[in-house]
Amino acid sequence: MLSQKTIDIVKSTAPILETHGVEITTYFYRTLFEAHPELLNIFNHANQSKGRQQTALANTVYAAAKYIDQLEVLLPAVKQIAHKHRSLAIKAEHYPIVGEYLLKAIKGVLGDGATDEVIAAWGEAYGVIAQVFIDVEKEMYAQAEQQQNGWKDFKEFVIEKKVKESSLITSFYLKAKDGEPAPDYLPGQYITIRTSIPGEEFLVNRQYSLSQAPGSDSFRISVKREADHNPEGKVSVYLHDKLQEGDTLEVSAPAGDFYLEQGTQPVALIAGGVGVTPMMAMLGSIVQNEPDRKTVFIQAARNKDAHAFGEEAAQQIGQLSDGKMYVAYAEKKNETDVCDVTGHVSKSFLKEALDLNSICYVCGPVAFMQAVVQHLAELGFNEQNIKYEFFGPAMALQA
């Protein structure tokens, strides 16, 4: 238990952390990686270069200061982060290292404002917060290992099949090298793949949504080739251009808190670009388990060439007793291209297409999700019924 004095000191730093949080976390990651370059393989370098990882951590540290006396408020965020940590094999022994460099960063940025008393209070508070993460993640590790066909940390999988889905997206079917069937998972969850890339000193990790419903002996991930965005495209280009059927990857057990909830409530699956991948798992699960559930599937793509899973989605929608599918293209490359919406997915379109009582699942580029989530909120959808998934560190979509 934290003393009231410690709580008061930590809470008093919240306004400073709100202002200087990103500066502190940028300092933190720089000094951490300088001292422990082996930890670089855990993090997505694109999220680092774009500042998303720093912003997400800054938001977490600020929230911890604000709610240090009500840590239960943070539990949903803790669980979301813990899923990512478990998927990346982050362990209890990493937390003291993080704590050391976080305190150094607070001191380094705030200078005289970070008195010995402030640093001591934050050191004590960090220990409590870290233990919350460690305890939650311990349960997740046990669950992943003890489930049927489960395992600890990473396991070798072979690329069984490689299928081009569109001009940008290719699917990889992954089969366990030891011949065991893939474990069950919740539709919408992701796996981490770990591999070595020639020229890279350390192994690299990337998290990809599972793009087919549970129940198969293999996993399917569907990867967008990000050739124009360095370093974001480093892993995706390697997967697309170098890895072939028969090659091996290391894979973590499925994780994530963005998944389809079963029930009778109408469902809207709203995808932009490669955000369609978890939606395909959800749609497939509805077909298998809830074929009478009212379902609307909305998919936005750049154009017809970039439209992945069109035939597969249409075939699955056709198996539902009350299913509708809409396609939006940002542009039509040819007059013969058929879609329901040209341009952005608008609020007026969503109003016409969706039942106000629907649970809405949204995934895609940040700008797409910001627009769609804002439209849904303005249309009166219950906040609890608007669920979304980030590719990478979670950040707020609404102010």
Side-chain angles (χ1 to χ4, degrees):
M1 291 290 292
L2 296 173
S3 69
Q4 189 59 49
K5 181 180 179 181
T6 296
I7 290 171
D8 291 343
I9 292 172
V10 170
K11 286 179 75 72
S12 74
T13 65
I16 302 171
L17 294 171
E18 185 177 21
T19 303
H20 296 285
V22 173
E23 188 180 354
I24 290 170
T25 56
T26 300
Y27 186 112
F28 159 75
Y29 280 117
R30 177 173 57 79
T31 55
L32 174 67
F33 293 149
E34 286 173 357
H36 294 276
E38 72 278 5
L39 296 181
L40 275 165
N41 73 304
I42 292 176
F43 295 91
N44 183 314
H45 296 183
N47 291 328
Q48 287 285 327
S49 67
K50 294 162 76 173
R52 290 187 63 184
Q53 192 79 51
Q54 295 89 329
T55 300
L57 179 59
N59 291 342
T60 301
V61 173
Y62 165 67
K66 187 175 180 181
Y67 297 108
I68 191 63
D69 55 343
Q70 306 172 63
L71 289 180
E72 66 277 4
V73 173
L74 303 179
L75 197 55
V78 167
K79 288 183 176 179
Q80 183 183 58
I81 296 168
H83 273 287
K84 294 183 182 295
H85 285 181
R86 200 279 295 155
S87 181
L88 292 165
I90 291 175
K91 298 296 179 63
E93 56 263 31
H94 292 129
Y95 280 91
I97 301 172
V98 170
E100 176 186 351
Y101 285 90
L102 183 60
L103 294 180
K104 285 181 178 179
I106 293 173
K107 182 67 175 177
V109 171
L110 300 186
D112 293 341
T115 63
D116 290 345
E117 190 175 49
V118 167
I119 294 299
W122 258 105
E124 187 180 349
Y126 175 81
V128 171
I129 296 165
Q131 194 60 51
V132 172
F133 276 96
I134 290 168
D135 290 344
V136 170
E137 289 162 17
K138 183 179 179 180
E139 293 182 11
M140 290 182 176
Y141 278 109
Q143 183 180 12
E145 187 174 7
Q146 294 167 12
Q147 68 177 323
Q148 187 174 6
N149 303 320
W151 65 90
K152 182 180 181 181
D153 298 343
F154 286 87
K155 177 177 175 176
E156 286 192 325
F157 276 67
V158 176
I159 300 175
E160 184 181 34
K161 187 167 57 172
K162 186 175 177 182
V163 178
K164 192 173 180 64
E165 307 288 1
S166 74
S167 62
L168 298 172
I169 295 173
T170 293
S171 288
F172 297 81
Y173 291 77
L174 308 176
K175 182 85 171 178
K177 193 171 183 178
D178 63 10
E180 290 290 327
D184 199 12
Y185 55 89
L186 298 170
Q189 289 190 308
Y190 55 81
I191 56 174
T192 296
I193 66 162
R194 186 167 72 179
T195 189
S196 60
I197 295 180
E200 293 293 315
E201 183 177 359
F202 301 105
L203 295 170
V204 294
N205 297 285
R206 287 296 184 274
Q207 292 171 329
Y208 294 109
S209 297
L210 293 160
S211 61
Q212 65 181 3
S216 172
D217 283 349
S218 61
F219 290 140
R220 183 177 76 175
I221 59 171
S222 302
V223 180
K224 179 185 176 186
R225 190 178 192 275
E226 298 280 6
D228 301 326
H229 305 284
N230 185 41
E232 185 175 1
K234 186 181 299 181
V235 177
S236 70
V237 169
Y238 181 70
L239 289 172
H240 276 249
D241 295 353
K242 301 299 182 182
L243 291 188
Q244 303 299 328
E245 294 174 0
D247 288 339
T248 301
L249 293 167
E250 291 184 296
V251 175
S252 73
D257 63 347
F258 177 75
Y259 54 83
L260 177 73
E261 298 174 6
Q262 291 191 338
T264 58
Q265 199 169 347
V267 173
L269 308 177
I270 308 172
V274 74
V276 71
T277 54
M279 304 306 181
M280 293 304 298
M282 293 184 188
L283 181 59
S285 179
I286 293 170
V287 170
Q288 290 179 5
N289 303 305
E290 306 172 293
D292 294 327
R293 190 173 186 181
K294 185 176 182 180
T295 302
V296 175
F297 185 86
I298 300 172
Q299 183 179 2
R302 293 183 190 177
N303 49 51
K304 185 177 180 180
D305 290 344
H307 182 189
F309 303 112
E311 291 184 8
E312 181 178 331
Q315 188 269 339
Q316 291 186 333
I317 285 290
Q319 296 181 59
L320 302 178
S321 60
D322 192 358
K324 292 183 180 179
M325 177 176 173
Y326 300 96
V327 174
Y329 291 153
E331 61 174 359
K332 285 187 176 183
K333 297 185 71 173
N334 299 292
E335 292 184 3
T336 55
D337 293 347
V338 178
C339 62
D340 302 286
V341 176
T342 303
H344 297 299
V345 175
S346 66
K347 182 166 69 173
S348 59
F349 168 74
L350 292 173
K351 182 179 180 180
E352 293 298 320
L354 303 182
D355 186 315
L356 190 60
N357 295 319
S358 298
I359 300 179
C360 300
Y361 297 88
V362 186
C363 190
V366 173
F368 172 84
M369 291 197 296
Q370 284 176 326
V372 170
V373 168
Q374 185 66 36
H375 292 335
L376 295 173
E378 292 174 357
L379 288 171
F381 282 81
N382 188 315
E383 182 180 357
Q384 301 302 314
N385 289 338
I386 304 174
K387 304 177 185 296
Y388 48 87
E389 172 79 316
F390 276 97
F391 298 127
M395 297 184 293
L397 289 184
Q398 294 175 284

